Amino acid sequence: MAEILPQDGTAGTLIGRIQGRAGPSVVAVRAEGVFDITAAAPTVADLCNAADPVAIARSKGQRIGSLEEMVPALLAPIDLQAIKAAGVTFAVSLLERLIEEHAKGDLSRADQVRKELNSLIGADVTTIKPGSAEAEALKKTLMARGAWSPYLEVGIGPYAEIFTKAPPMAAVGYGAEIGIRSDSDWNNPEPEVTLVVSAKGTIVGATLGNDVNLRDMEGRSALLLGIAKDNNASCAIGPFVRLFDATFTLDDVRKAKVDLEVTGPDQFRLRGSSDLSKISRDPTDLVRHAMGDTHQYPDGMVLMTGTLFAPTEQRKPDGHGFTHMVGDLVSISSPKLGTLTNRVNHCDKIAPWTFGVSALMRNLASRGLLK
């Protein structure tokens, strides 16, 4: 339990969802245990869209057990929100997307392409502010060399890449299996801080997310992004939403450190980290690119902010880099947000997603929770 919780335990305002006997329930995680607050907020979307989400989260509720007892029932701590993601928000991930593109999804060519691109770009993209005059000058230079790319367009251009990671209700939570396609030979986890945003565009809290990516699929064509990103159980979010309060603010998000550990059935172990302070666009800027006058989300949204982590370690003696194996245990942790842990399986071997928005509405109505 010390691992799943943030380092300061239950000092913050922690919101989750569990699969209760009567159906999905919104819960608050406190020092005294787990409290069902569904009567005050039938959905997490309702809670996050309220005038004072923290006040609702701290409403009395009904104690239903200890956190240890409730862990097997944990769901992703969001429900009706749109699940969005920002891509190419770190210089390292920008270079890795370029490598995928130039290698056409072929893992065996990645090392050679990496060397070629570093020579061709000839600039430290970590110092370039997206949309700046310097970025525009580099764009013209690379276009003249025939080296411009859609990834450079969103990595250093004026517009961020924002895409739909999964439909509402499709994310899995702590302890669930997370999916990769069986026809993918080059894929990896993407550990990310995930913003929780109200319908008004206000960031009300954060959680952790795993934006699983099939690098071979996306590398063949940017138009295969949907196949590379949105598959059965390919999005994990959790373990809890931590709302902004006196113990946790947007500045904590801006300087968040995210650690990743992958432990494989082949005894392979991979560790890495991501530092949000190195992001190329501020979290509030990413939210403005995702929603506003031109795009609204009446139930709010969650927004994965991108990752600095792009593993290149050799997994096999005769291999060409990292890719997942069925059975990998993936743990994503951050001091203020706790730990999200999932085990990898093939998407078609994981139980299909069947409980969607209409099922949730019928369930809540049958319980007399919709007003």
Side-chain angles (χ1 to χ4, degrees):
M1 293 306 96
E3 179 182 89
I4 189 174
L5 288 169
Q7 285 185 357
D8 57 356
T10 55
T13 308
L14 303 178
I15 297 301
R17 291 173 69 243
I18 66 160
Q19 182 60 49
R21 292 180 180 178
S25 298
V26 181
V27 298
V29 181
R30 303 167 185 161
E32 302 81 12
V34 178
F35 290 77
D36 187 336
I37 58 170
T38 314
T43 68
V44 176
D46 287 321
L47 187 151
C48 292
N49 279 335
D52 190 346
V54 172
I56 294 177
R58 292 177 178 172
S59 60
K60 185 176 180 181
Q62 178 183 1
R63 188 182 186 279
I64 55 176
S66 67
L67 177 57
E68 186 173 12
E69 293 170 327
M70 293 295 107
V71 162
L74 284 178
L75 301 171
I78 59 167
D79 39 46
L80 303 182
Q81 295 97 331
I83 304 174
K84 309 294 286 186
V88 201
T89 54
F90 291 88
V92 170
S93 62
L94 167 58
L95 292 172
E96 290 301 315
R97 296 295 87 80
L98 290 171
I99 289 163
E100 292 165 11
E101 181 184 43
H102 284 259
K104 304 300 182 186
D106 183 355
L107 177 57
S108 66
R109 296 190 57 226
D111 286 340
Q112 182 60 36
V113 170
R114 185 175 290 107
K115 295 174 183 176
E116 294 170 357
L117 282 172
N118 286 334
S119 174
L120 180 62
I121 293 175
D124 182 2
V125 293
T126 64
T127 65
I128 297 177
K129 181 177 175 59
S132 65
E134 184 182 8
E136 183 63 23
L138 177 59
K139 175 178 180 177
K140 291 179 179 178
T141 299
L142 293 176
M143 288 183 71
R145 297 178 182 176
W148 192 244
S149 160
Y151 294 107
L152 284 163
E153 183 67 51
V154 296
I156 63 174
Y159 300 105
E161 179 193 14
I162 305 291
F163 59 91
T164 297
K165 172 60 183 178
M169 302 280 294
V172 299
Y174 178 93
E177 288 186 313
I178 194 165
I180 56 171
R181 289 173 60 113
S182 58
D183 54 356
S184 171
D185 298 318
W186 186 15
N187 48 69
N188 62 246
E190 292 194 357
E192 305 183 16
V193 172
T194 302
L195 307 174
V196 180
V197 188
S198 74
K200 294 181 179 180
T202 302
I203 306 172
V204 299
T207 183
L208 294 170
N210 188 349
D211 176 16
V212 177
N213 186 36
L214 309 183
R215 301 186 68 179
D216 47 1
M217 298 293 183
E218 185 175 356
R220 291 171 196 165
S221 169
L223 299 181
L224 293 176
L225 183 67
I227 292 177
K229 292 288 189 180
D230 184 8
N231 299 288
N232 184 39
S234 66
C235 176
I237 293 177
F240 312 110
V241 170
R242 184 166 187 170
L243 297 175
F244 289 161
D245 59 14
T247 70
F248 183 62
T249 69
L250 184 57
D251 282 337
D252 289 304
V253 170
R254 289 186 172 112
K255 59 188 179 185
K257 304 289 194 302
V258 180
D259 293 319
L260 171 77
E261 182 172 5
V262 178
T263 305
D266 57 348
Q267 308 307 310
F268 176 86
R269 179 165 290 184
L270 174 72
R271 291 187 176 94
S273 62
S274 188
D275 184 345
L276 219 69
S277 68
K278 297 180 181 178
I279 200 168
S280 60
R281 303 179 194 265
D282 189 76
T284 56
D285 188 32
L286 290 175
V287 170
R288 284 193 292 269
H289 280 272
M291 65 187 297
D293 292 340
T294 60
H295 209 159
Q296 296 82 41
Y297 295 99
D299 294 306
M301 71 169 183
V302 295
L303 179 62
M304 296 184 173
T305 53
T307 185
L308 181 66
F309 182 71
T312 60
E313 287 86 345
Q314 301 293 331
R315 182 156 198 176
K316 298 178 181 179
D318 58 345
H320 299 283
F322 174 83
T323 192
H324 268 311
M325 289 180 62
V326 169
D328 279 352
L329 188 67
V330 182
S331 290
I332 299 169
S333 61
S334 188
K336 289 280 189 173
L337 297 173
T339 299
L340 173 64
T341 299
N342 303 93
R343 194 173 294 278
V344 174
N345 200 351
H346 285 148
C347 295
D348 56 351
K349 301 300 182 184
I350 298 173
W353 172 45
T354 59
F355 194 92
V357 173
S358 59
L360 177 63
M361 292 299 102
R362 286 193 294 268
N363 176 268
L364 292 173
S366 72
R367 294 156 64 185
L369 292 168
L370 295 184
K371 298 178 182 180

